[in-house]
Amino acid sequence: MKTRIYMLIGFLLSLILSILPVADNFTIAATPTDVVSPQAAVSFTQGVQKTVLDNGLTVLTKEVHTAPVVSVQVWYKVGSRNETKGENGISHQLEHLMFKGTKERPVQFGRLFNALGSQFNAFTSYDETAYFGTVERNRLDALLTLEADRMKNALIDAEQLTSEKRVVISELQGYENSPEYRLNRAVMRAAFPNRAYGLPVGGTKADVEQFTVEQVRNYYQKYYSPDNATVVIIGDFVTENALNTIRDTFGKLPKRETGGKLVSSTPLPQPDKLINTASKSPIILQESGSAALLQAVYPLPDVQHPDVPAIDVMDAILTGGRSSRLYQALVESGLASSVGASAVEPIEPGWYEISATAAPGQKLTKITEVLQTSLTQLQKQPVSLTELNRAKTQLQASFVLGNQDITSQASQLAYSQMIAGDYHYIEKYLAAIANVTQADVQRVAKTYLSPNKKTIGYFEPTQIAGESGTPNLGSGRTAENFNPGKPVDPAELAKYLPAITTSPDISKQSLPQQFSLTNGLRVLLLPDHNLPTINLSGQIDAGSEFDGNSNAGLASITASNLMNGTKTRDALTLAQTLEDRGAGLNFGATREGVSISGEGLAANLPLLIQTLADVLQNATFPNKQLELSRQRALTSLKVQLDDPSGLGRRVFQQAIYPENHPFHSFPTEESLKNITRDDVLRFYRNHYRPDTTTLALVGDFEPAEVKDLLSQSLGKWQAIGQPPLLKLPTVSLPPNITRINKAIPGKAEAITYLGYNAISRKDPRYYAALVLNQILGGDTLSSRLGTEVRDRLGLTYGIYSGFAAGVNPGPFLIQMQTAPQDANRAIASTLGLLKQLREQGITEAELNTAKRSITNSYPVDLANPSNVSSIILDNAILGLSPAEIREFPQRIQSVTMADVQKAIQDLINPKNLIIVTAGTVK
């Protein structure tokens, strides 16, 4: 179940490193009669002004003065739906080229956006291509100037196309690593053999390799026209001033002569004829992989069809949370490790996709049988009123919770205007959701989930692809030497940046109230009355660092079983209690702690805290649920070992840290099978304690009321003795370069990690290390690594570096994705850049640009209440002052050249690297 905009993001392709994050199934649900509807609490379109310029450009503006930031999005009504035979992927290829510069600004636009402090990205989907950035308010005019420039003047020539084709092919080959992607591609091609929606949005390697400059340039001229675009601006600005800038920039752009008139890929079928022509026998892929997979696709109508609200309610009933029908039938029964679905209703008729991952030893045919039984039951019997209400509130509440930040709000408006044809669509849609009846759900289930309309596919792994045993050591040398080019001079970039006014002052950022209960539980409260929502973050010092090698996976198993029952409520009751009130509560073990995340409408804060208190103090860990979670963990392990990123990171970390170090341990099949219920109970008693728990709440509440609520629900929670302590052994740098290769059959792309143990968050060099990293690899498009390895050489789709600095020292690492034949060259170029950095240092211009980029983007983080909750929690856990949230920019600005040069000498060691390459290795 996905909302309109989340559904959209689910199948888009993003530019930089990965697909944009998406919630799989919402864990917020129905509103009982005593709860105010979230639709009544928030208006999505109030204050929106629509302006259409003389050249046809549609502009939507909405002032939101809750934070000194503004989001700008430019959506073009062109996607893979508009591609003809032989040009599959050209929309996506053009999206990449839009960052290569313009005639007036012949520089990588990622560097310009980075210099503005913009949090930016882009994506291509079936019906649209979008570019978006969120910046401090004083950079709005600059952002609009840059977007208008590339709408008209994008540089599309042979050099840019050649390098970016390699990047796109690397991206596509990376998707080939995923069995889910390969299965989905086969099923969609069979379901829609004569429609563009049946082809992958990113295209095919064969088509991409054949693109010509003239072909891409003509495509750009045809579709990138003002009358085929929508610009959305939301945030802290004055509408009339912004419109004046729009008129001075976009308003001067002429319509293209061929401009933007879209033609459907095929004649649109009528709703009663949405039957594909594919064979109804299952499509079977027997390839190297990990878990068995199922995907089923049913044709649906387009976004404008009146059945869409009822279809989405049906989807929520089937897959909306733990209490949903398919979760209960497939996951709780032990047949599947996971199940999910999405209703995709774009401009042309869409589809409903159901996917499941088989539990170990379970047959896909059995899962198919139970799945069909559930769908048939939905068709034959009306759903209960309780289910109906729960599903409606899932959809309504998800729009409130999913639009707490202005970037999401801008995307929602753009989607409604561009795809549905009216920015008011979202509120019409929510009103229609409220009117869906039990009969409507039964009717759409009969209409669209007929077995003879289904295309189904199975992925049957022929072998377990990866293993976590002793790595094979390769040569300590790379295959070639490499001398990097001269770093890009930020001073040279400055002449292409539009004018910027003075930065806003964030010194007035509110600080959290901090207090402790008598039992030692720490609490941070930060009221925010702008939206009727609650964001809860928390951590318990019960992470996997306490596992040990023989019990690796114990912390994760314990955390995943917290919601499986307490002394008074079983798992289903816990799930329904939250889902019936539009709240979500989740636990997950990380290396240094168990993370707690919760969200909901403000009225549901008492329920959220009471449920949290119940599971922290009274979890019972039923045997049946424990075994089911073990099976899911075993499936996850197989998937991780089949993923070059997962296996590579595991081998990399185990090569850095010795066996007696807590950071060395990773779950194995043996360790997961050996964990007993007594082990879980013992871990729960010893490590789940109030004096090692920290909670942070940001949202619409009164602190005094929350303090009383916490005292009543968690004040009696007591710990015995002192909390467990860890003794970490000293970790030395590797004596030289060590190469480790881990082959995984059937993978098209390799993932490489380079690095070694580094620093903790409280290390005095941390802020200098952040600035250093911003220059080296903090951004794929603007850093030295990105400029050289990705942009100039075209060797990788994504490359970045980072310091994993926590309470304890974590690794410095560089990660990249390459074609197998390019891995050695990419590694050599990276080593050359590290050597250059160590020997030559950085320039004053680089230092100043990096500091501005970090500090300018920081207010964007603070504009999202969910981010703020995580930030104040992390600061508390790491032992930092509550004022760190306000003082962070000043600490970055105070970093000097001497600080960074010292960090380089201390922390950049190109002769002492662990280098791990996983996947197809040549």
Side-chain angles (χ1 to χ4, degrees):
M1 182 277 296
K2 293 180 174 65
T3 63
R4 302 293 88 223
I5 190 62
Y6 287 113
M7 174 278 292
L8 159 77
I9 299 296
F11 51 77
L12 57 81
L13 291 173
S14 66
L15 170 71
I16 298 187
L17 283 179
S18 62
I19 294 176
L20 293 180
V22 184
D24 291 331
N25 287 316
F26 293 102
T27 56
I28 48 180
T31 305
T33 56
D34 61 332
V35 177
V36 176
S37 167
Q39 184 184 357
V42 176
S43 172
F44 294 99
T45 61
Q46 184 178 358
V48 175
Q49 179 175 322
K50 179 180 177 181
T51 305
V52 180
L53 303 189
D54 292 341
N55 60 10
L57 180 73
T58 299
V59 183
L60 301 178
T61 54
K62 180 180 180 180
E63 296 184 26
V64 179
H65 301 288
T66 56
V69 297
V70 61
S71 183
V72 173
Q73 303 199 8
V74 182
W75 288 43
Y76 296 91
K77 199 171 188 177
V78 59
S80 62
R81 178 174 70 97
N82 307 101
E83 298 165 359
T84 59
K85 184 178 180 180
E87 61 178 22
N88 181 215
I90 194 170
S91 301
H92 178 225
Q93 181 70 74
L94 177 56
E95 174 215 317
H96 278 246
L97 288 168
M98 290 290 285
F99 283 84
K100 301 295 279 188
T102 66
K103 297 171 185 176
E104 295 184 7
R105 295 177 173 86
V107 293
Q108 166 59 253
F109 262 45
R111 296 187 205 115
L112 297 177
F113 292 138
N114 186 268
L116 292 177
S118 176
Q119 294 189 6
F120 68 96
N121 211 325
F123 67 80
T124 303
S125 190
Y126 295 101
D127 298 323
E128 71 282 351
T129 307
Y131 305 84
F132 52 96
T134 303
V135 294
E136 287 183 293
R137 62 189 174 202
N138 61 309
R139 285 156 172 74
L140 171 59
D141 288 358
L143 203 54
L144 291 171
T145 300
L146 293 176
E147 290 292 359
D149 187 17
R150 63 175 174 174
M151 178 180 283
K152 179 185 177 183
N153 302 311
L155 273 180
I156 302 173
D157 59 28
E159 181 181 356
Q160 277 83 11
L161 181 59
T162 298
S163 68
E164 209 61 29
K165 280 166 69 171
R166 291 191 67 175
V167 172
V168 168
I169 290 171
S170 174
E171 178 182 356
L172 298 180
Q173 294 296 95
Y175 298 140
E176 293 290 331
N177 284 350
S178 166
E180 291 89 343
Y181 175 84
R182 302 199 301 271
L183 178 61
N184 177 261
R185 180 180 56 194
V187 171
M188 289 295 289
R189 282 177 174 174
F192 306 110
N194 301 312
R195 298 180 62 200
Y197 285 167
L199 297 174
V201 172
T204 62
K205 180 181 178 183
D207 279 1
V208 171
E209 287 176 332
Q210 300 303 315
F211 290 154
T212 66
V213 171
E214 182 181 18
Q215 186 181 14
V216 179
R217 190 178 290 150
N218 288 342
Y219 200 81
Y220 170 69
Q221 292 289 336
K222 181 177 183 180
Y223 290 110
Y224 278 59
S225 178
D227 57 327
N228 197 44
T230 296
V231 175
V232 180
I233 309 172
I234 293 187
D236 191 17
F237 66 97
V238 177
T239 298
E240 192 53 44
N241 294 344
L243 289 176
N244 287 337
T245 302
I246 288 279
R247 294 185 184 100
D248 289 342
T249 52
F250 288 93
K252 296 178 179 179
L253 305 182
K255 297 179 182 179
R256 305 289 196 192
E257 293 181 3
T258 55
K261 300 298 181 183
L262 301 190
V263 179
S264 298
S265 55
T266 58
L268 302 187
Q270 298 302 311
D272 60 345
K273 297 180 180 179
L274 297 177
I275 301 176
N276 53 29
T277 59
S279 168
K280 296 303 174 283
S281 299
I283 299 160
I284 298 176
L285 297 185
Q286 293 180 327
E287 301 173 355
S288 297
S290 52
L293 307 171
L294 173 152
Q295 287 191 0
V297 166
Y298 302 79
L300 287 183
D302 62 80
V303 69
Q304 298 283 9
H305 196 278
D307 282 347
V308 164
I311 291 170
D312 289 357
V313 171
M314 175 194 73
D315 174 37
I317 290 169
L318 287 173
T319 63
R322 186 169 187 169
S323 64
S324 65
R325 291 194 175 193
L326 292 186
Y327 191 96
Q328 288 294 312
L330 296 176
V331 180
E332 292 288 3
S333 69
L335 287 174
S337 293
S338 64
V339 64
S342 61
V344 182
E345 298 117 348
I347 289 178
E348 293 182 16
W351 59 94
Y352 186 60
E353 177 183 310
I354 302 174
S355 60
T357 301
Q362 298 295 336
K363 299 294 185 182
L364 293 172
T365 51
K366 178 63 175 177
I367 294 175
T368 303
E369 178 184 329
V370 174
L371 170 62
Q372 185 56 54
T373 299
S374 297
L375 300 183
T376 301
Q377 184 181 24
L378 190 64
Q379 294 166 334
K380 289 184 176 181
Q381 299 176 1
V383 299
S384 69
L385 189 58
T386 299
E387 284 182 294
L388 180 69
N389 288 336
R390 180 182 302 133
K392 288 182 179 182
T393 304
Q394 283 183 319
L395 290 164
Q396 292 171 334
S398 67
F399 279 95
V400 179
L401 296 167
N403 286 282
Q404 295 184 82
D405 62 287
I406 60 171
T407 302
S408 299
Q409 292 177 39
S411 295
Q412 184 62 70
L413 282 176
Y415 173 83
S416 295
Q417 179 64 38
M418 177 71 71
I419 308 305
D422 180 6
Y423 73 87
H424 289 289
Y425 173 83
I426 174 58
E427 301 203 336
K428 296 176 182 177
Y429 168 81
L430 289 174
I433 289 290
N435 292 324
V436 171
T437 67
Q438 294 160 286
D440 291 332
V441 174
Q442 187 175 14
R443 175 179 55 80
V444 296
K446 289 179 179 179
T447 302
Y448 301 107
L449 299 184
S450 173
N452 68 345
K453 297 180 181 179
K454 174 179 65 179
T455 302
I456 191 168
Y458 297 158
F459 179 87
E460 299 176 347
T462 56
Q463 66 184 73
I464 300 302
E467 58 183 56
S468 59
T470 304
N472 300 315
L473 298 182
S475 168
R477 296 181 296 171
T478 56
E480 57 187 292
N481 292 318
F482 179 85
N483 293 315
K486 186 178 180 181
V488 175
D489 184 3
E492 188 69 16
L493 290 175
K495 65 184 181 182
Y496 299 116
L497 279 172
I500 301 169
T501 58
T502 305
S503 296
D505 181 12
I506 71 161
S507 63
K508 296 180 181 179
Q509 165 66 41
S510 299
L511 300 183
Q513 302 178 31
Q514 181 171 312
F515 66 95
S516 296
L517 301 183
T518 55
N519 57 13
L521 188 148
R522 288 191 298 169
V523 181
L524 299 105
L525 302 178
L526 187 58
D528 181 350
H529 301 295
N530 292 306
L531 283 172
T533 59
I534 295 295
N535 295 275
L536 166 68
S537 298
Q539 179 167 305
I540 308 164
D541 295 344
S544 60
E545 62 188 4
F546 290 106
D547 279 354
N549 293 322
S550 62
N551 268 340
L554 176 57
S556 182
I557 290 284
T558 305
S560 66
N561 275 270
L562 286 172
M563 295 292 291
N564 281 338
T566 67
K567 295 175 182 178
T568 57
R569 293 182 288 182
D570 62 15
L572 182 57
T573 303
L574 281 170
Q576 290 175 336
T577 298
L578 290 169
E579 292 170 358
D580 285 350
R581 290 295 191 95
L585 181 62
N586 297 284
F587 300 86
T590 63
R591 183 65 66 181
E592 293 190 331
V594 169
S595 64
I596 305 168
S597 60
E599 63 177 2
L601 302 178
N604 297 320
L605 177 59
L607 176 67
L608 193 64
I609 291 179
Q610 288 160 6
T611 305
L612 171 66
D614 191 16
V615 298
L616 289 181
Q617 298 172 88
N618 302 311
T620 54
F621 304 98
N623 269 317
K624 178 183 177 181
Q625 295 291 346
L626 189 62
E627 289 308 312
L628 288 175
S629 68
R630 188 198 312 275
Q631 295 304 309
R632 290 193 288 269
L634 288 167
T635 300
S636 296
L637 174 63
K638 290 179 181 179
V639 171
Q640 183 191 65
L641 297 181
D642 182 49
D643 175 18
S645 296
L647 179 61
R649 182 61 187 265
R650 170 185 288 238
V651 173
F652 171 75
Q653 191 139 325
Q654 289 185 326
I656 292 175
Y657 299 102
E659 285 193 23
N660 64 337
H661 196 286
F663 290 5
H664 181 91
S665 68
F666 281 84
T668 65
E669 183 176 351
E670 181 182 9
S671 71
L672 289 172
K673 289 182 176 179
N674 286 340
I675 293 171
T676 67
R677 182 170 181 270
D678 286 341
D679 293 330
V680 173
L681 288 170
R682 188 180 308 111
F683 192 88
Y684 177 64
R685 286 193 300 265
N686 291 341
H687 295 279
Y688 283 70
R689 312 164 50 100
D691 53 350
T692 62
T693 299
T694 305
L695 300 177
L697 288 98
V698 175
D700 188 13
F701 57 77
E702 295 300 328
E705 296 176 5
V706 176
K707 290 179 182 179
D708 289 342
L709 183 60
L710 289 169
S711 297
Q712 293 169 13
S713 59
L714 286 162
K716 295 180 180 179
W717 186 19
Q718 296 298 320
I720 300 174
Q722 295 299 311
L725 295 177
L726 278 174
K727 292 184 178 180
L728 273 66
T730 302
V731 178
S732 303
L733 286 175
N736 47 40
I737 291 179
T738 302
R739 289 289 304 272
I740 305 172
N741 294 330
K742 295 295 295 184
I744 308 178
K747 301 305 175 185
E749 286 284 280
I751 301 294
T752 297
Y753 291 90
L754 307 88
Y756 36 72
N757 189 49
I759 59 174
S760 70
R761 174 61 176 85
K762 293 191 76 173
D763 190 293
R765 299 166 293 182
Y766 175 76
Y767 298 101
L770 273 188
V771 175
L772 163 62
N773 186 70
Q774 182 69 19
I775 296 167
L776 174 62
D779 182 274
T780 290
L781 296 184
S782 64
S783 65
R784 285 194 182 188
L785 287 170
T787 297
E788 189 71 27
V789 184
R790 183 195 193 278
D791 219 32
R792 189 173 75 84
L793 300 175
L795 295 175
T796 177
Y797 167 55
I799 183 168
Y800 69 90
S801 63
F803 289 88
V807 174
N808 298 302
F812 163 74
L813 60 87
I814 298 170
Q815 179 183 344
M816 68 182 84
Q817 170 186 309
T818 63
Q821 66 270 19
D822 290 335
N824 277 345
R825 190 176 175 208
I827 292 169
S829 63
T830 299
L831 293 177
L833 284 164
L834 292 176
K835 181 179 178 182
Q836 179 191 66
L837 180 63
R838 186 170 175 87
E839 292 177 351
Q840 301 177 20
I842 64 170
T843 67
E844 195 74 35
E846 284 183 305
L847 172 69
N848 293 330
T849 299
K851 292 196 296 185
R852 281 197 303 269
S853 177
I854 295 171
T855 56
N856 289 344
S857 66
Y858 187 63
V860 179
D861 291 327
L862 299 184
N864 186 329
S866 180
N867 288 346
V868 172
S869 176
S870 297
I871 290 171
I872 63 176
L873 173 72
D874 291 342
N875 289 343
I877 291 168
L878 294 164
L880 305 174
S881 164
E884 175 70 14
I885 190 171
R886 178 185 292 171
E887 297 171 355
F888 174 80
Q890 287 75 30
R891 297 188 190 279
I892 292 295
Q893 287 294 352
S894 67
V895 172
T896 66
M897 177 66 78
D899 295 332
V900 175
Q901 301 292 31
K902 183 179 189 311
I904 292 172
Q905 296 305 311
D906 291 349
L907 303 175
I908 301 300
N909 300 285
K911 296 180 180 180
N912 308 96
L913 287 164
I914 297 291
I915 305 176
V916 174
T917 300
T920 299
V921 181
K922 291 187 179 181

